[in-house]
Amino acid sequence: MFYELAVSTWGKEEIEAIQRVITSGRFTIGAHVGAFEDAFAAYHNRKYAVMVNSGSSANLLSVAALFYKKDRPLKRGDEVIVPAISWATTYHPLQQYGLTMKIVDVELETINIDARQLENAIGPRTRVIVGVSILGNPAALDVIRRFADERGLYFIEDNCESMDAELCGRKAGTFGHLSTFSSFFSHHISTMEGGMVTTDDRELFELVKCMRAHGWVRDLPPDSAIYDGREDDFYEAYRFILPGYNVRPLEMSGAIGLEQLRKLPKMTDERRKNWSRFVKLFSGDNRFIIQRENGKSSAFSFTIVLNPEAGLSRPKIMKALKEADIGYRLITGGCITRHDVIRYYEHECLDTLPNANLVHDHGFFVGNHPFDLSPQIDRLREVLDRAAR
Ligand SMILES: Cc1ncc(COP(=O)(O)O)c(C=O)c1O
């Protein structure tokens, strides 16, 4: 394809890493995953990182952990504020744990939650805010965290689309009480499937670690904050304290992750160079609304919302892209209320979600990759310019 939505970011280092794990004969979670977690936590200047088998599992464990905190645990029926645009598995765990969602519109320019609406969204049962940085562009994470802290709310930061983005001199994925990442194919780094939870809170770290593997105590330190160790090894090896899961990653994914993390800064640089070219070509053309950068985007992809005032037809644009062999797709998961699954969510929308609906009906994104895409971006510009006349 001339311009793909997603490409592999692997080189021979990742293949060699897989081979080393195969040769070792140990495939289940072990030293490679541990080393990757340590490196990932250090890269983000976070105290703790726990690897799991997907970003979706990272979100699931983040919600789950808050239900088992000693102080002020979440309870079924509590309320959570969420943005109208994200991926489906940002929301599913909230439904599965019996939380009621208050859905808030996004800003049209950033496609991230409109933080100015938080004050209106908060109610007596609000306990959590989920903040999502869409496609590399940091949400108002500093504002959300401050708002949450001032009101005693938990902040779950879904950073599955924005690894290596920055805001206020900090990496995205360091603002939440719990922050989640995905290393699925096509994301900033790829470990085949994979996810990570980061936190600075020792109790949350242990809860996530325990629930990652069966809810047993085996992976917890002897001076654990969440259970009292006993002497008897026979029972200790099979002691279950929480209703957990098995969402452990494979050792291969840890080994690949180490290689990919080493390459991440360079890959982000390349993505940002492409982003600058895209912005230069498209800004100032009010037929196309492109994402306004907040802080430093890690440029997952390039979003375009067709300005409704320009009267453009998305099907016509899609046809032109298809003919030019340029991949495109819906922005993240579009507006969550437009999906059939919404019927299962206890939810309320703050308003009619005009921006999220506009993005759903008039938006799309094309890929960005960690190498020079000048010919592809230039061609995109030509194709869109012609199709939009
Ligand atoms: C915002 C967001 N959250 C969560 C996920 C889930 O990640 P995964 O595909 O690794 O399960 C994604 C996936 O792309 C995502 O975009």
Side-chain angles (χ1 to χ4, degrees):
M1 193 175 198
F2 174 67
Y3 187 173
E4 307 259 14
L5 266 176
V7 296
S8 174
T9 53
W10 289 8
K12 69 176 180 17
E13 298 79 9
E14 287 76 6
I15 307 298
E16 285 166 6
I18 294 174
Q19 194 54 55
R20 279 197 298 279
V21 175
I22 293 172
T23 308
S24 78
R26 172 156 186 162
F27 305 120
T28 54
I29 194 165
H32 291 93
V33 170
F36 179 42
E37 288 172 336
D38 290 347
F40 198 87
Y43 189 78
H44 287 88
N45 201 15
R46 280 290 238 187
K47 283 196 185 135
Y48 309 105
V50 181
M51 190 182 187
V52 287
N53 61 1
S54 71
S56 303
S57 299
N59 283 344
L60 173 63
L61 291 192
S62 297
V63 176
L66 292 174
F67 274 77
Y68 295 98
K69 269 181 66 59
K70 271 197 202 105
D71 291 332
R72 304 176 54 250
L74 296 185
K75 299 263 183 294
R76 297 185 92 76
D78 284 346
E79 208 164 85
V80 49
I81 298 174
V82 293
I85 289 188
S86 190
W87 188 247
T89 53
T90 303
Y91 308 99
H92 296 343
L94 307 170
Q95 185 273 345
Q96 288 152 357
Y97 274 82
L99 297 173
T100 300
M101 294 176 224
K102 181 70 77 69
I103 303 177
V104 172
D105 204 5
V106 297
E107 298 171 320
L108 189 55
E109 298 77 20
T110 61
I111 318 188
N112 290 321
I113 190 166
D114 184 349
R116 288 163 307 181
Q117 298 198 33
L118 290 176
E119 197 66 63
N120 292 339
I122 196 167
R125 283 161 58 202
T126 308
R127 301 288 315 281
V128 191
I129 303 173
V130 174
V132 186
S133 295
I134 292 293
L135 296 170
N137 191 30
L141 303 168
D142 50 338
V143 177
I144 300 172
R145 179 63 195 247
R146 207 176 317 120
F147 185 89
D149 284 346
E150 282 165 10
R151 288 155 183 85
L153 307 175
Y154 298 118
F155 176 24
I156 298 178
E157 180 190 4
D158 181 336
N159 196 46
C160 286
E161 295 185 357
S162 298
M163 190 183 293
D164 224 18
E166 286 172 34
L167 186 69
C168 311
R170 281 164 67 179
K171 297 272 182 216
T174 66
F175 287 82
H177 293 95
L178 296 138
S179 303
T180 63
F181 296 81
S182 166
S183 47
F184 178 63
F185 181 76
S186 85
H187 286 225
H188 294 83
I189 64 171
S190 168
T191 58
M192 299 196 269
E193 297 272 3
M196 194 73 84
V197 181
T198 66
T199 182
D200 289 321
D201 182 298
R202 167 84 185 261
E203 184 193 13
L204 289 174
F205 161 66
E206 288 194 28
L207 289 167
V208 168
K209 214 165 179 194
C210 175
M211 296 190 87
R212 169 176 74 176
H214 314 287
W216 66 18
V217 300
R218 203 181 291 182
D219 305 321
L220 299 179
D223 61 339
S224 170
I226 64 167
Y227 86 110
D228 293 324
R230 297 213 192 108
E231 296 297 309
D232 189 336
D233 287 349
F234 182 74
Y235 289 117
E236 261 335 74
Y238 297 96
R239 184 166 161 204
F240 303 101
I241 57 168
L242 291 170
Y245 305 90
N246 181 359
V247 290
R248 288 179 300 213
L250 293 176
E251 191 58 350
M252 274 185 224
S253 297
I256 300 162
L258 278 167
E259 300 303 327
Q260 286 268 284
L261 191 61
R262 270 183 213 120
K263 297 181 181 178
L264 179 60
K266 170 101 185 22
M267 293 201 288
T268 304
D269 272 0
E270 292 296 324
R271 284 177 179 278
R272 286 189 174 135
K273 280 186 208 152
N274 291 332
W275 163 250
S276 299
R277 188 173 194 95
F278 173 80
V279 172
K280 198 162 142 229
L281 289 180
F282 281 89
S283 60
D285 184 339
N286 68 3
R287 294 173 298 175
F288 307 113
I289 303 167
I290 63 171
Q291 235 178 348
R292 189 191 70 223
E293 196 176 19
N294 182 42
K296 269 177 98 176
S297 173
S298 55
F300 186 116
S301 61
F302 307 133
T303 65
I304 293 179
V305 179
L306 302 174
N307 188 342
E309 284 168 22
L312 304 177
S313 140
R314 188 170 60 176
K316 187 179 166 209
I317 300 276
M318 309 276 90
K319 186 162 173 286
L321 291 173
K322 201 173 233 163
E323 282 165 9
D325 210 20
I326 297 174
Y328 56 85
R329 52 160 282 183
L330 185 65
I331 292 176
T332 302
C335 179
I336 189 62
T337 62
R338 305 284 290 276
H339 291 275
D340 297 344
V341 71
I342 194 74
R343 79 177 71 141
Y344 299 109
Y345 294 174
E346 283 293 329
H347 73 282
E348 192 189 317
C349 300
L350 197 61
D351 57 18
T352 57
L353 312 174
N355 293 336
N357 279 299
L358 201 95
V359 169
H360 194 95
D361 291 327
H362 297 275
F364 62 94
F365 82 64
V366 299
N368 187 15
H369 313 312
F371 50 82
D372 180 23
L373 282 178
S374 306
Q376 285 83 350
I377 295 168
D378 292 355
R379 180 97 181 98
L380 173 74
R381 174 72 205 165
E382 283 161 26
V383 169
L384 289 183
D385 194 36
R386 203 169 335 111
R389 269 182 210 150

